[in-house]
């Protein structure tokens, strides 16, 4: 489904797993190439050490690349796509003792390359690295997300060999 950045921002803000874990989408840029998110520390998302629960950090990162890519590729003419997180790895480097910031910036050349692969093969798997910082600029976590994107309208030519 196609959304405007403003619509998507409010959908994500009210999405229960985000809302109750205090994950707040600050801005989705007009071209869907960037999203800025914060995670506020509250009694709803702290662990026994009074720091932000690692599952909350992971939950905030889980859908973001897939959602952005889906919107970008639909805007580029792929009317029916599917994008989902294929695999992920997260390293927790420092405890999240205060508000955390996430800023995902997609690179236009990588998006164009992925689009060409989808047009010729019907699908692509792209890997993205994301850093999570606290308000003091301390790197608290790093995640590597592998996203699967497929054009559902792509017709596989089964007569070709190889």
């Amino acid at each position: 489904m196609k959304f405007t950045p403003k619509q998507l921002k409010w959908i994500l803000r009210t999405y229960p797993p985000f809302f109750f874990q205090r994950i707040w989408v600050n801005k989705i840029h007009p071209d869907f190439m960037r999203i800025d998110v914060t995670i506020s520390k509250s009694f709803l998302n702290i662990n026994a050490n009074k720091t932000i629960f690692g599952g909350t950090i992971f939950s905030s990162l889980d859908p973001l690349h897939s959602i952005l890519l889906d919107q970008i590729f639909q805007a580029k003419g792929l009317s029916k796509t599917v994008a989902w997180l294929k695999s992920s790895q997260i390293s927790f480097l420092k405890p999240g003792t205060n508000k955390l910031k996430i800023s995902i910036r997609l690179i236009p050349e990588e998006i164009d390359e992925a689009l060409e692969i989808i047009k010729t093969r019907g699908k692509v798997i792209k890997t993205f690295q994301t850093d999570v910082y606290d308000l003091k600029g301390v790197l608290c976590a790093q995640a590597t997300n592998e996203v699967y994107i497929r054009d559902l309208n792509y017709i596989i030519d089964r007569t070709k060999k190889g």
Side-chain angles (χ1 to χ4, degrees):
M1 186 177 243
K2 226 171 161 180
F3 298 105
T4 67
K6 189 174 183 177
Q7 289 171 327
L8 186 57
K9 175 180 76 171
W10 281 101
I11 288 168
L12 290 174
R13 281 181 175 181
T14 58
Y15 178 53
F18 275 26
F19 182 79
F20 288 109
Q21 291 187 79
R22 309 284 291 152
I23 300 165
W24 190 254
V25 176
N26 297 311
K27 183 172 184 174
I28 298 176
H29 294 254
D31 57 2
F32 294 99
M33 294 292 285
R34 183 174 169 189
I35 188 169
D36 299 312
V37 176
T38 54
I39 303 170
S40 297
K41 182 178 160 186
S42 85
F43 75 95
L44 295 171
N45 65 6
I46 59 171
N47 58 27
N49 297 316
K50 306 264 191 249
T51 61
I52 295 174
F53 177 58
T56 297
I57 298 168
F58 182 81
S59 294
S60 69
L61 295 167
D62 180 340
L64 297 179
H65 286 97
S66 302
I67 290 170
L68 292 177
L69 291 167
D70 191 52
Q71 293 300 307
I72 290 167
F73 290 135
Q74 285 186 52
K76 291 184 179 274
L78 299 179
S79 61
K80 198 170 179 187
T81 61
V82 64
W84 51 273
L85 186 64
K86 185 175 188 297
S87 70
S88 184
Q89 189 232 335
I90 190 164
S91 297
F92 299 105
L93 307 171
K94 299 277 182 181
T97 57
N98 57 41
K99 189 179 281 191
L100 299 176
K101 299 182 295 183
I102 300 165
S103 186
I104 293 176
R105 292 176 178 85
L106 300 175
I107 299 166
E109 294 79 19
E110 287 183 2
I111 301 305
D112 293 341
E113 176 189 20
L115 182 60
E116 286 306 311
I117 294 170
I118 292 170
K119 285 181 177 178
T120 58
R121 298 184 198 156
K123 62 184 176 181
V124 69
I125 297 171
K126 292 293 290 177
T127 303
F128 301 94
Q129 174 103 20
T130 306
D131 296 332
V132 179
Y133 294 93
D134 69 10
L135 290 180
K136 297 175 185 172
V138 174
L139 181 62
C140 294
Q142 288 185 310
T144 303
N145 291 344
E146 193 177 51
V147 180
Y148 172 89
I149 309 119
R150 181 171 173 209
D151 177 4
L152 296 174
N153 289 326
Y154 183 81
I155 299 170
I156 299 170
D157 185 355
R158 301 212 184 265
T159 61
K160 288 185 181 178
K161 297 207 180 204

